[in-house]
Amino acid sequence: MRRSAEADLRSLHVQLTQMQMADPALAEVWNDYPEESPQALRQNLFAHLTFSHYLLVYRWGGITENEMLAHAQRLVSSPVFNRYWASSRSAKEALPPVSAEGRLFRIFEQALQEARHRGAPPTR
């Protein structure tokens, strides 16, 4: 029953985010990126939805940490995702390390560190 309620809540979050992405006037209501252009805002919202999707899959045990690292490595190769990550990193860094989101944050940070060591461009 808990998963069902969580899935329903997640669906509502997706709907709200889709509304924000479709209508710049609505995006002004709940905007964690007030200095961004409408296009960059929509990209950040989509990047957040993507991260949230992986969080749900990870939390429900549908993916191993190694599999998640592979997905994270692909995402961090995107400059757009890196812009989102840089702007949301401090909030994620403050999460409890034992929480699913805190563990996922560390997986994404590992992917970024590995990308930097391979010579990928640094994030902003």
Side-chain angles (χ1 to χ4, degrees):
M1 184 170 327
R2 177 172 164 78
R3 278 193 180 183
S4 177
E6 190 173 350
D8 288 346
L9 185 58
R10 175 76 182 128
S11 178
L12 178 58
H13 177 252
V14 169
Q15 289 173 20
L16 289 170
T17 302
Q18 287 173 329
M19 291 169 66
Q20 283 181 286
M21 292 169 68
D23 186 342
L26 295 179
E28 292 176 18
V29 174
W30 182 13
N31 183 357
D32 293 336
Y33 315 99
E35 303 301 318
E36 298 286 356
S37 70
Q39 177 180 340
L41 174 59
R42 284 190 302 277
Q43 290 170 335
N44 283 346
L45 291 169
F46 184 77
H48 178 72
L49 278 178
T50 302
F51 180 80
S52 296
H53 168 75
Y54 282 126
L55 174 61
L56 190 60
V57 171
Y58 181 68
R59 181 181 293 146
W60 286 358
I63 194 167
T64 67
E65 287 197 12
N66 284 337
E67 291 168 331
M68 184 55 68
L69 181 59
H71 288 293
Q73 288 167 334
R74 284 190 292 281
L75 275 176
V76 302
S77 69
S78 163
V80 173
F81 185 85
N82 282 323
R83 183 189 64 228
Y84 155 76
W85 193 258
S87 64
S88 65
R89 185 180 186 280
S90 62
K92 288 176 177 46
E93 189 174 37
L95 294 164
V98 297
S99 70
E101 194 170 2
R103 291 190 313 269
L104 189 60
F105 165 78
R106 288 192 306 281
I107 291 170
F108 272 76
E109 284 291 298
Q110 178 183 344
L112 280 168
Q113 290 299 325
E114 291 174 4
R116 287 184 188 124
H117 288 314
R118 285 191 310 271
T123 60
R124 303 205 254 158

